[in-house]
Amino acid sequence: MKKFDTPWSVGSMFLCSKCGAAFEKPEMADKLKSELRLHLKNQDNHKKIRVMVTGCLNVCNRDEQTVMYQPVSGPTEIFTVGKNLDDNLEELKHVLNRKLL
């Protein structure tokens, strides 16, 4: 087994791909991922936080998108945001910006 250092220095954000399907927006996680990656790249922070889509995170609240933030060191955070893409995008940008401080 080979062990590798984490290529992102601050943390990782995982977006559940199952949540959006529950409220008829199956592309929600992919759209959020693309927009958040672009946001990080525009700030030259794309090597600090990695944004990825994952399967179920086992927090299934109706009409909410589940997100997990895993810092390189420290406790994992799992939270939900609403089902509006634009609102979620702004809220998650704020989360990422706080993590980068």
Side-chain angles (χ1 to χ4, degrees):
M1 174 171 69
K2 289 184 181 181
K3 184 176 178 181
F4 296 91
D5 291 330
T6 305
W8 40 92
S9 61
V10 176
S12 306
M13 179 175 277
F14 297 89
L15 306 162
C16 176
S17 63
K18 303 292 184 182
C19 290
F23 51 88
E24 299 180 3
K25 292 188 179 180
E27 71 286 348
M28 174 79 83
D30 285 319
K31 284 185 178 180
L32 285 170
K33 176 191 77 172
S34 296
E35 292 296 325
L36 292 170
R37 282 186 175 181
L38 181 61
H39 171 72
L40 289 168
K41 188 169 185 165
N42 288 340
Q43 295 181 333
D44 200 29
N45 287 322
H46 60 288
K47 293 183 181 178
K48 293 181 180 178
I49 297 178
R50 177 77 176 182
V51 179
M52 297 168 272
V53 173
T54 187
C56 183
L57 292 167
N58 206 27
V59 176
C60 304
N61 291 330
R62 186 171 176 85
D63 294 338
E64 294 181 342
Q65 176 72 46
T66 303
V67 179
M68 180 176 77
Y69 179 75
Q70 174 64 56
V72 170
S73 62
T76 299
E77 300 172 36
I78 296 180
F79 53 93
T80 61
V81 292
K83 66 178 182 178
N84 181 287
L85 178 66
D86 293 331
D87 292 344
N88 288 350
L89 183 56
E90 290 309 309
E91 192 169 349
L92 293 174
K93 283 180 182 179
H94 289 298
V95 169
L96 290 175
N97 291 338
R98 283 193 308 268
K99 302 302 180 187
L100 291 164
L101 296 177

